[in-house]
Each structure stands twice: as structure tokens, then as C-alpha cells.
Amino acid sequence: VLLALIIINPKADAQCSMACNSFVQVSLDQICQATITPAMMLNDTATACPNANYEVEVLKYNKKIPTSPIVNGDHLNLKLTVKVKDKNSGNSCWGEILIEDKLPPILTCGIDTTECYLASSYLPTITENCYIDTLILINEIPHTLNCDPTFIKRISRQYIAKDKAGNVSAPCWIDIYLNRFPIDSV
């Protein structure tokens, strides 16, 4: 009589094959960050890890970044390595990501009134997810208001903003009404 000994490995169901996408472009969100997830990196058709428990590490020069798995504006335009590991099986795969900012600045313009000597200080409000680079005045039109009892002039200015990634805002107009100097103050 021949006896066979069968050993059942309780971890056998945790064995799996993994495949990471080799290059992934990641765009930062409204607060200039992105969380790198297993779904971003894993090639679903080539990954079969039943009951997987994934861990993601983002590496720069083979060292885990302090914010891993979150990337932010400090990583703009960098190629980083990402390791995805299944904690159950110990298997892992690697891929690269490129961190980019694709959101342009948003300008908020409006109408305001001021004294003549303060007109140059009125600028649009800039909302930018990462780093603003330049606010550019692209047009200025003075409008004389000869018969207006309150205002001497209205200045219309058109601006655009550019961020450090080269994204450009939509143009916006700001109107500044300049108060007449009160004659009885002379």
C-alpha cells in the first residue's frame, strides 16, 4: 500500500501574479496633491491576487518619499517609482509616474471704487492649485466720466494669470471707478 502525504499550504490562495503599468501620468488636484492607489498602477488584466491587501510606496531615488502614497507640488514634473505590494503573498510590481499640474489659475474680477492714487493696487483675486507664476495685465482702457457727479473716471483692466506649469487662466476684466475729489475739501 502506497500512502501519499498531501500538505495543504494555507497561504496557497494568497499566491498571485502581478503586473504594474510601466508609466502613468498623474495630474494634481485642486489642493495640489494626488493619492497614488493600487488601481492607478496595476494592470487589471494581468493581476490576479485573490483577497489582495495592497500597499503602495512612492519612491524618489529608491527612497520612500515622506508623504507616500501622496504626491504634491514638491514632486511636479518628476518621474517617481511606485511599488505595489500584496501584503498577503509578498509579491510586488513596479512602475513609474510623472507628476503634472494641468489645472490653470482662476481669476475673479469685479467692480470696485477707490481714490485715484490707489487705482494701481486693485488686482483680480487668483485661485491656483499649486504655484502661481505671473499675473499679466493685457489690456487697460480708461473711460472719462465728465458728467458723473461721483466718479471722475472708470478704468477697465484685463488680466490673465500663468502658473509655474505653464497653464494659463481665462482672461477677466476688472472695473475700477475713481472717486471725484470733493470740492468742499479744498
Side-chain angles (χ1 to χ4, degrees):
V1 170
L2 188 59
L3 294 174
L5 179 60
I6 300 174
I7 299 174
I8 298 174
N9 181 352
K11 289 231 174 208
D13 65 334
Q15 299 302 312
C16 64
S17 63
M18 294 181 66
C20 280
N21 294 314
S22 61
F23 188 75
V24 177
Q25 182 275 324
V26 177
S27 294
L28 298 176
D29 66 11
Q30 297 87 351
I31 58 171
C32 199
Q33 68 181 28
T35 301
I36 309 305
T37 65
M40 290 173 152
M41 297 307 300
L42 292 173
N43 182 329
D44 287 339
T45 60
T47 301
C49 290
N51 303 315
N53 183 11
Y54 295 120
E55 173 182 68
V56 175
E57 288 184 349
V58 180
L59 307 154
K60 180 179 175 184
Y61 308 120
N62 295 323
K63 292 185 180 183
K64 185 175 171 181
I65 64 171
T67 58
S68 180
I70 297 171
V71 294
N72 58 40
D74 294 338
H75 308 110
L76 269 177
N77 302 317
L78 292 180
K79 285 184 183 177
L80 302 173
T81 301
V82 177
K83 177 184 177 183
V84 180
K85 179 180 178 180
D86 175 30
K87 291 182 190 179
N88 295 334
S89 68
N91 202 0
S92 62
C93 63
W94 303 75
E96 282 190 329
I97 57 175
L98 174 65
I99 310 304
E100 295 183 315
D101 172 18
K102 299 288 187 181
L103 297 175
I106 298 171
L107 294 180
T108 304
C109 291
I111 299 172
D112 209 342
T113 60
T114 189
E115 305 307 320
C116 207
Y117 62 91
L118 295 174
S120 62
S121 65
Y122 279 87
L123 301 171
T125 302
I126 305 169
T127 305
E128 167 56 15
N129 68 325
C130 288
Y131 305 107
I132 192 68
D133 185 36
T134 311
L135 177 66
I136 304 164
L137 175 65
I138 57 174
N139 200 352
E140 181 174 90
I141 304 169
H143 308 274
T144 304
L145 305 174
N146 292 329
C147 296
D148 190 299
T150 310
F151 304 109
I152 192 167
K153 188 185 285 189
R154 176 178 58 123
I155 301 172
S156 298
R157 292 183 181 145
Q158 186 180 34
Y159 290 92
I160 59 171
K162 188 172 110 178
D163 68 16
K164 290 196 178 196
N167 301 308
V168 178
S169 71
C172 83
W173 286 92
I174 187 169
D175 284 322
I176 306 158
Y177 286 85
L178 305 180
N179 293 322
R180 282 195 181 277
F181 186 76
I183 296 288
D184 57 354
S185 299
V186 177

